[in-house]
Amino acid sequence: MKAHKTFPLAASVLALALAGCSLTTPVKTPGDLSTPAWRDEVATTDAAIDPEWWRAFGRDELTGLIAAALAENTDMQQALARIEQARARLRIAGASLYPAVGAGGSIGRDWSEPFGDDSSGRSSARGSLSVSYEIDLWGANAASRDSARLRALGSEYDRAALALVIASDVAQIYAEVLSLNDRLEISRNRLANVREILDLVEIRFREGAVSGLELAQQRGELASLEATIANLERQRTAAVNELAVLTGRAPQGFPAPAGSLNDLALPAPVIHPPALLLTRRPDLASAEAALRAAHADIAVARAAFFPSLTIGGDLSVAANPISAAATTAAGIVGSLSAPIFEGGRLSGNLALSKAARDELVARYRGAVLQSFREVEDAMAGLRSAEARNLAYEEATKQAQIAYDISRERFEVGSIDFLTLLDAQRSLLQAQENLIVARQDRLAAIIQLYKAMGGGWTADAAADMAAAGS
């Protein structure tokens, strides 16, 4: 066997000495964004939220709808596909850290005479094996792999954030449907009551006890209430259709949830302190992963300014049947290349990577501030809804008493019709306000779960931190 060695030993020693050098710089963070406490004094804890936090509402129907949405929602399926794409890019980026091996072969036959009966020929065969490896002198290949790994991790965080949004949306719309069920029931009961009064007014009108004005007003009240019911039914149908699409099903034939808002339990959400919130939201973890990936991209752009070293080797075997001998040849070669003039391309790539990093720093800071705002808004909404709920409970109670008294007095003729009409309108409005306040209270609880990151925990936080070190 004959070997042709063209790569000096000193160069290989130098390559091994330089391997592992890295141009990665420490991750630039937006600084301390944590605050000591929320605006209002609230009890906080570091306890984790149940991953299936929606079970706290005590409705198996809601649990089943959210499970269906997380499995069948088309946005979730797209997110899963994006995760697979990111994992594939990670495999592609990681391939540069390993040698590339190839093989080839050929077989042929040569003729020394023209084709015919007396022609003679010679057969030959050749096989080859080649290996090449780019030594990662400046850590560019490792940085490319880290960038791809962080983006793959970010895609998983994005899916977790999307799952939280979808679960919250399903819970919100489910509560909306139940609220519309309640409002429809109240309006239909009130419609029956308005019709009873209309019958009484018509009798009084025929007897001359009331004028045509009172009769027209009650008929108008009846028509207005019928229009309200038609609008509530439209809203309910639209909400049910939206719920169907969220769960990955067609609206046709989708069963509308039954029941009342009163069937839902009102849990007390777990409230984390602001500092802990930064580790409990998947969207913040995604933003941080993107920021760390951008730092890895800067290392790749810096490495492009320096020489690259590639080592290659090949082994070939040729056989000739006439000589009955095989010839073997092997060779090792190293190539070194360095950029001299690129017309500003390399410096432009580096500037682009740095600008992208700075953009992601601002994005991360904005995401943190937005998360604080969402928690404060949800807590304020919950306090307001609870106060309004108490007030409307009392208002509804008093409006019912006023209406009952007004109807009794109207039936015996001691008050005019306008007083009764005002009482029945006030009662209907108070009942609707109470339902809306209950729905707002549920919505605020759901928003607070969402703002706190639901039950998500950063299982891969340690890997993400290690990637930036």
Side-chain angles (χ1 to χ4, degrees), residues 204 405-407 409-417 419-420:
R204 294 279 185 89
I405 294 173
S406 297
R407 179 163 181 175
R409 291 182 177 180
F410 177 75
E411 289 177 351
V412 298
S414 62
I415 62 171
D416 60 15
F417 175 73
T419 303
L420 175 61

Side-chain angles (χ1 to χ4, degrees), residues 169-185:
D169 287 349
V170 171
Q172 292 271 21
I173 297 171
Y174 182 81
E176 181 183 352
V177 173
L178 298 190
S179 171
L180 289 166
N181 288 346
D182 290 342
R183 293 173 65 186
L184 278 167
E185 182 179 4

Side-chain angles (χ1 to χ4, degrees), residues 173 176-178 180-181 233-247 249-251 253-257:
I173 297 171
E176 181 183 352
V177 173
L178 298 190
L180 289 166
N181 288 346
E233 289 175 339
R234 178 196 60 79
Q235 294 179 40
R236 183 173 180 272
T237 299
V240 171
N241 291 343
E242 186 175 1
L243 198 58
V245 173
L246 276 173
T247 57
R249 297 173 60 182
F254 184 81

Side-chain angles (χ1 to χ4, degrees), residues 306-373:
F306 299 93
S308 62
L309 177 63
T310 302
I311 298 176
D314 63 83
L315 174 66
S316 62
V317 179
N320 188 325
I322 295 178
S323 61
T327 303
T328 302
I332 300 176
V333 64
S335 64
L336 186 68
S337 63
I340 296 177
F341 177 72
E342 296 283 346
R345 181 178 64 86
L346 299 181
S347 59
N349 282 338
L350 180 58
L352 178 62
S353 299
K354 289 181 177 180
R357 183 270 318 276
D358 293 341
E359 177 188 0
L360 291 171
V361 168
R363 173 189 166 191
Y364 178 74
R365 177 180 176 83
V368 171
L369 296 177
Q370 179 67 18
S371 71
F372 290 160
R373 174 197 167 186

